Amino acid sequence: FGSRAQKASNQPSHTRQNQQRLHFAMAFVKVLKNNSYFKRFQVKPRRRREGKTDYRARRKMVRQDKNKFNNKKYRLVVRFTNRRVICQIMYATIRGDMVVAQATSTELTKYGVPVGHKNYAAAYCTGLLVARRVLKKFGLDETFKGKEEIDGEDYHVEDEENDQRPFKCILDVGLQTTAVGHRMWGALKGAVDGGLHIPHTNKKFPGFKPAEEKGQEAEYDAEAHKEKIFGAHVKEYMEMLEEEDPTKYEAHFAKFIAEDINGEKLEEMYTEAHEKIKEDPEYEPAEKKGITHTREADQITSSDGTEHVRSKKIGLEARRAKVAEKIAAAQAKLMEEDDDE
């Protein structure tokens, strides 16, 4: 011990001071491996907590090979709401998904389908529309014209001989169950018939029958699929309901009746829509109405004659002052009660 003390005493004073300062500073270093570090629980991503994204499926769809040098991996995203079908062509980046083209079934009104925007036939039309739209955007609409006759038969654009490779994307159905005959297959079939290369089989299409015994071949009834594409199932239901329960028919198909559409007109309506989509798939934005708004306090008056009440944010300082006034008023009231007693 004596030799160590002697060595320490032989060190210059400034060296000893630096060591003391370093030792003193170490006491305030942030502890990284704290109690939370050793916990087993890990918070899931936000969209997993909200139940919106299947990240296991998304990773498989988004992952791109390193030797492809950051090429875009396109997806056909199909989603259904209570009122419409949404189809989008997009690719993933580190900043988020970038949409190349999109189509919704509400646009079908322009093509002669004013009602029934969420059935199988509408899903097919929407898939066909987004396919023709994205091919036109990339200048491939003349090279890949898609299927000429819509008959429900299998069609693969990649099997055709072309100097150019077709536009390839993969189907993204989100959290939907991939059941046989689901409307998502209508959107897929429409996009494929429109000229997109989407790897798929017909095992989930309407009209497919798996082999009953080992060794037998599965059957695919293209005619059954064609009937779904042209809304034959809607036609049957309309006719049955009109015959058995006219009151329910009038309530259930009120919009069809208002547009003077019955079961007999459905196939013709969808056939014309397919032709119009192929002729002009371009998106036309709605014209701006040019409505102006004037505000007086919380009252908003629009140039079209409508009035609305919208509260205005008063800011942090004003809110604090407001709270302080309420506290002061409450304290004054308590003081008055104490004086009265």
Side-chain angles (χ1 to χ4, degrees), residues 45-330:
R46 176 178 59 83
R47 286 184 66 87
R48 171 62 189 88
R49 297 198 305 270
E50 294 172 353
K52 290 180 178 179
T53 299
D54 179 359
Y55 278 97
R56 186 164 177 262
R58 180 178 169 81
R59 274 193 298 271
K60 289 183 178 181
M61 288 187 289
V62 166
R63 189 181 291 124
Q64 180 66 293
D65 298 334
K66 287 284 187 182
N67 61 357
K68 292 187 180 173
F69 304 103
N70 203 27
N71 280 348
K72 298 175 178 65
K73 196 171 184 181
Y74 294 101
R75 311 194 317 275
L76 169 65
V77 180
V78 180
R79 298 290 184 269
F80 293 89
T81 71
N82 288 340
R83 292 179 177 270
R84 59 182 180 155
V85 186
I86 304 168
C87 293
Q88 296 174 320
I89 305 290
M90 59 171 63
Y91 62 91
T93 69
I94 200 166
R95 290 189 295 128
D97 287 357
M98 301 297 168
V99 179
V100 176
Q102 81 145 2
T104 61
S105 57
T106 50
E107 295 178 52
L108 299 178
T109 305
K110 169 188 165 185
Y111 299 102
V113 185
V115 289
H117 288 160
K118 61 174 187 175
N119 57 30
Y120 195 95
Y124 180 90
C125 292
T126 311
L128 180 66
L129 178 59
V130 76
R132 299 312 303 167
R133 187 170 285 172
V134 74
L135 289 175
K136 189 165 186 177
K137 181 174 182 177
F138 288 116
L140 299 170
D141 54 327
E142 293 298 326
T143 309
F144 303 101
K145 294 186 177 180
K147 193 170 177 63
E148 293 180 5
E149 184 185 355
I150 297 170
D151 52 8
E153 292 287 351
D154 276 341
Y155 176 74
H156 297 273
V157 70
E158 64 273 18
D159 294 340
E160 296 181 354
E161 292 184 6
N162 284 299
D163 297 334
Q164 203 169 359
R165 284 185 294 180
F167 184 91
K168 182 181 178 180
C169 54
I170 54 177
L171 181 66
D172 180 346
V173 298
L175 301 176
Q176 295 172 104
T177 304
T178 52
V180 176
H182 196 286
R183 291 171 296 170
M184 69 176 81
W185 309 124
L188 168 67
K189 182 62 175 167
V192 167
D193 288 353
L196 296 185
H197 170 28
I198 306 174
H200 72 283
T201 64
N202 58 13
K203 289 184 178 179
K204 298 285 186 176
F205 287 168
F208 180 83
K209 290 182 181 178
E212 294 179 0
E213 296 179 7
K214 192 174 181 180
Q216 291 184 346
E217 290 187 2
E219 296 178 6
Y220 172 59
D221 185 4
E223 191 62 31
H225 196 180
K226 180 185 176 183
E227 289 179 357
K228 293 276 281 187
I229 289 170
F230 287 96
H233 57 297
V234 180
K235 174 188 173 183
E236 288 176 13
Y237 184 62
M238 287 178 78
E239 290 174 350
M240 181 271 291
L241 208 60
E242 187 177 12
E243 189 177 324
E244 295 182 4
D245 193 348
T247 308
K248 187 178 179 181
Y249 169 76
E250 290 174 5
H252 200 75
F253 291 99
K255 290 185 178 179
F256 283 76
I257 295 167
E259 296 288 342
D260 193 26
I261 298 171
N262 55 29
E264 298 296 330
K265 296 180 180 179
L266 285 178
E267 185 172 351
E268 184 184 350
M269 178 180 75
Y270 288 119
T271 305
E272 290 177 1
H274 298 157
E275 292 173 0
K276 289 177 182 177
I277 287 169
K278 290 177 181 179
E279 286 173 10
D280 180 24
E282 284 291 332
Y283 173 71
E284 293 182 5
E287 294 181 4
K288 293 185 178 180
K289 297 179 180 178
I291 298 172
T292 56
H293 309 278
T294 54
R295 185 183 191 114
E296 292 181 9
D298 290 347
Q299 190 73 22
I300 297 175
T301 307
S302 303
S303 59
D304 61 349
T306 56
E307 294 183 355
H308 309 279
V309 177
R310 297 287 182 269
S311 300
K312 190 177 180 181
K313 289 185 178 181
I314 59 176
L316 180 63
E317 296 299 326
R319 278 191 283 119
R320 282 178 175 169
K322 200 173 178 182
V323 171
E325 286 177 11
K326 287 182 180 179
I327 292 170

